Amino acid sequence: MHKIYSIPLDIMQGTDDVLFDYIVNCISKFLEYIGMKGVSLPLGFTFSFPCHQNRLNEAILLKWTKGFKATGCEGEDVVCLLRDAIRRREEFDLNVVAVVNDTVGTMMSCGFEDPYCEVGLIVGTGSNACYMEEMKNVELVEGDEGRMCINMEWGSFGDNGCLDDIRTEFDVVVDENSLNAGKQRFEKMISGMYLGEIVRNILIRFTERGLLFRGRISERLKTRGIFETKFLSQIESDHLALVQVHSILQRLGLESTCDDRIIVKEVCTVIARRAGQLCGAGMAAVVDKIRENRGMDFLKITVGVDGSLYKFHPHFSSVMHETVKQLSPKCEVTFLQSEDGSGKGAALITAVACRIREAGQH
Ligand code: BGC
């Protein structure tokens, strides 16, 4: 059973206590909903941000991403923050056994169904991937036997300037105006939180040059974040005389001609296509590395995927699949879509950790 609770903006951007009290409040509501109010249970925590992890139940938040900026969390162990909030509530005793990145949770839950699943991918508000690396290549951890899951945090690819050649002026503006300027540059080119904003900046530039809307920019179009990424999906699904495009533009205070609508749709297509290709290029590099690691001529592998852009955009996933096929011809890659996989994966890891712990006690 699962239930989704969204975190309001003021809580995302408030303080550590307020954020974690809110999360514990959601847990309490959920327990009540399933008729288990006040019980003591082991808990797996999916935490989808870059962390330094020394143990299964310890994760020091390095930097917020995706519009979060609650104070007092960066540099702290989020498991401690969660435990403190559970204590403050004095309603139940939940033992935080594991903290898991969403990519890892997704890979684990898909791996439960498909043993070939050794990669996890998220393309939603943010983007990231994880994969199984050979222990002998993991310098930070002792031992050479077996494999270990690596959370790549690929969203931060490019933060050292290596993507500068392909970043456009629009990527630069979107980055500079974000809460975490200079960070997560790859993520800002491919994920849901930013694609609408890239399109909005392009539309403004085209209008300034007199190429759109008879050169008139509406006040609403000047508002940051107003062009939602779901508009990209709606516009690209629009085949009937671009009626949707017309109505979306109208809501943004823009009177459009037929030519305007065709151009707007083309901009949306190009931006989503670029995102799919970049994501596909990243994924091709990952699967080909796994193949080379194992000294194989051909690798059959499954990628567990989740995220709103991947699931709901009409073309993103097919562009990405096609790109992976072209760039890693020596791999046969299957994409397995997960349903709330990251939560289930964290639960799975928690259950295994509990079992190992119990076995150790006997
Ligand atoms: C975070 C990752 C996360 C990804 C997808 C990124 O912003 O840094 O940890 O996996 O978003 O949710």
Side-chain angles (χ1 to χ4, degrees):
M1 197 183 293
H2 82 271
K3 219 167 157 49
I4 295 171
Y5 300 88
S6 49
I7 303 182
L9 193 70
D10 57 324
I11 292 183
M12 280 163 58
Q13 306 192 344
T15 67
D16 46 354
D17 285 1
V18 171
L19 174 62
F20 281 85
D21 283 344
Y22 179 82
I23 294 172
V24 173
N25 187 37
C26 294
I27 298 174
S28 163
K29 277 200 258 175
F30 180 70
L31 287 175
E32 190 168 353
Y33 170 73
I34 59 171
M36 294 179 78
K37 194 171 159 51
V39 294
S40 299
L41 287 171
L43 182 136
F45 184 23
T46 305
F47 190 70
S48 316
F49 299 93
C51 287
H52 189 92
Q53 212 171 349
N54 286 317
R55 268 182 294 179
L56 191 56
N57 61 353
E58 179 194 297
I60 317 284
L61 173 62
L62 297 172
K63 272 246 161 277
W64 281 126
T65 58
K66 300 179 285 198
F68 276 72
K69 61 166 191 192
T71 54
C73 302
E74 287 181 349
E76 298 297 320
D77 178 3
V78 294
V79 174
C80 289
L81 296 176
L82 182 62
R83 278 193 192 123
D84 289 347
I86 293 171
R87 225 169 277 141
R88 278 199 292 279
R89 185 151 185 122
E90 293 180 353
E91 185 181 311
F92 37 60
D93 183 22
L94 299 171
N95 178 17
V96 188
V97 174
V99 53
V100 177
N101 185 262
D102 52 354
T103 53
V104 181
T106 300
M107 182 192 79
M108 288 301 291
S109 70
C110 290
F112 193 67
E113 280 175 43
D114 177 345
Y116 285 103
C117 182
E118 294 186 89
V119 182
L121 170 67
I122 303 282
V123 204
T125 310
S127 180
N128 189 16
C130 72
Y131 73 102
M132 295 306 289
E133 178 58 274
E134 307 301 314
M135 275 294 281
K136 62 177 190 303
N137 295 338
V138 186
E139 287 168 15
L140 289 172
V141 182
E142 266 179 52
D144 280 349
E145 291 304 303
R147 297 183 179 134
M148 185 177 200
C149 180
I150 301 291
N151 168 9
M152 297 177 69
E153 284 299 331
W154 85 4
S156 69
F157 183 50
D159 292 6
N160 63 356
C162 68
L163 285 176
D164 287 0
D165 283 351
I166 60 162
R167 287 171 80 229
T168 65
E169 58 182 291
F170 307 107
D171 297 308
V172 173
V173 173
V174 168
D175 177 33
E176 281 171 357
N177 290 334
S178 67
L179 284 178
N180 53 346
K183 302 272 185 260
Q184 302 292 105
R185 292 187 184 167
F186 188 53
E187 171 165 282
K188 285 172 185 164
M189 297 170 89
I190 59 181
S191 78
M193 179 143 184
Y194 306 97
L195 297 191
E197 196 50 12
I198 298 176
V199 168
R200 187 182 72 86
N201 279 284
I202 297 174
L203 299 187
I204 290 180
R205 173 55 52 88
F206 278 16
T207 316
E208 283 168 353
R209 294 206 178 148
L211 300 168
L212 274 175
F213 315 125
R214 299 191 177 89
R216 279 202 297 272
I217 304 174
S218 69
E219 276 310 306
R220 241 174 278 162
L221 189 65
K222 289 186 198 154
T223 317
R224 244 179 251 160
I226 195 111
F227 202 99
E228 296 174 49
T229 296
K230 71 168 187 228
F231 294 167
L232 268 81
S233 299
Q234 288 166 1
I235 288 174
E236 281 214 63
S237 313
D238 190 357
H239 302 299
L240 291 171
L242 306 180
V243 192
Q244 288 256 33
V245 191
H246 179 65
S247 89
I248 288 171
L249 293 175
Q250 217 165 27
R251 272 184 273 150
L252 296 173
L254 298 160
E255 269 317 315
S256 59
T257 63
C258 186
D259 280 355
D260 288 338
R261 285 168 230 150
I262 292 170
I263 294 172
V264 170
K265 185 170 176 186
E266 184 62 20
V267 171
C268 292
T269 306
V270 167
I271 291 307
R273 188 171 171 76
R274 184 187 69 152
Q277 288 177 331
L278 284 171
C279 191
M283 193 36 70
V286 173
V287 291
D288 220 45
K289 168 155 175 63
I290 298 176
R291 185 187 60 78
E292 280 180 10
N293 272 347
R294 299 181 187 176
M296 293 163 94
D297 292 332
F298 192 79
L299 176 77
K300 185 171 147 57
I301 195 159
T302 298
V303 178
V305 207
D306 209 341
S308 47
L309 193 68
Y310 183 86
K311 280 185 176 162
F312 303 128
H313 190 280
H315 307 305
F316 178 89
S317 57
S318 48
V319 171
M320 188 189 79
H321 299 165
E322 198 44 48
T323 307
V324 174
K325 215 184 241 167
Q326 278 174 14
L327 298 184
S328 54
K330 292 181 180 168
C331 300
E332 183 192 319
V333 186
T334 306
F335 289 89
L336 183 60
Q337 197 169 306
S338 93
E339 295 303 328
D340 188 39
S342 64
K344 282 185 204 146
L348 206 63
I349 292 169
T350 303
V352 173
C354 287
R355 190 177 292 174
I356 291 173
R357 196 180 286 172
E358 277 164 24
Q361 281 165 0
H362 296 307

